[in-house]
Amino acid sequence: MNRSEIKEQLTVIFRTVFEDPKLDLRDSMTKNDIEMWDSLTYLMMIAAVEKQFKFKFKLLELGNLESVGDIINAIDSKISS
């Protein structure tokens, strides 16, 4: 799976979790760019990512996921190894 395919699947997750069917993800996006991104929706999004891509993040990894690009890179790293 390439980065573009990961982003497509992640877009579906973000649109669902953050209840915004028109949300268009950019690598630079952070919690400051998405109105509903709070600690609860962040955990819901992480759970959805783990379910979709069939892996679990380690607690320490979650602290490094500050932008959409970081999340895509982490997914890519997890599913490529």
Side-chain angles (χ1 to χ4, degrees):
M1 179 176 298
N2 65 37
R3 190 172 172 80
S4 177
E5 293 167 328
I6 293 170
K7 189 172 186 177
E8 285 176 25
Q9 291 186 33
L10 192 61
T11 298
V12 172
I13 292 168
F14 268 64
R15 287 177 176 175
T16 301
V17 170
F18 297 111
E19 299 176 3
D20 184 351
K22 297 180 181 179
L23 187 61
D24 187 27
L25 296 185
R26 296 178 319 277
D27 283 9
S28 62
M29 288 178 97
T30 68
K31 64 182 177 182
N32 297 326
D33 299 309
I34 301 174
E35 185 175 334
M36 288 188 60
W37 188 329
D38 59 23
S39 56
L40 179 58
T41 54
Y42 175 75
L43 292 175
M44 292 169 55
M45 180 268 298
I46 291 298
V49 166
E50 291 175 335
K51 182 176 180 182
Q52 175 69 30
F53 293 98
K54 298 175 179 49
F55 68 81
K56 295 283 186 189
F57 285 111
K58 293 180 181 167
L59 188 56
L60 291 174
E61 293 172 317
L62 295 177
N64 296 323
L65 304 179
E66 297 182 6
S67 69
V68 169
D70 293 340
I71 297 167
I72 292 170
N73 290 338
I75 294 168
D76 187 35
S77 175
K78 289 277 195 186
I79 63 176
S80 296
S81 55

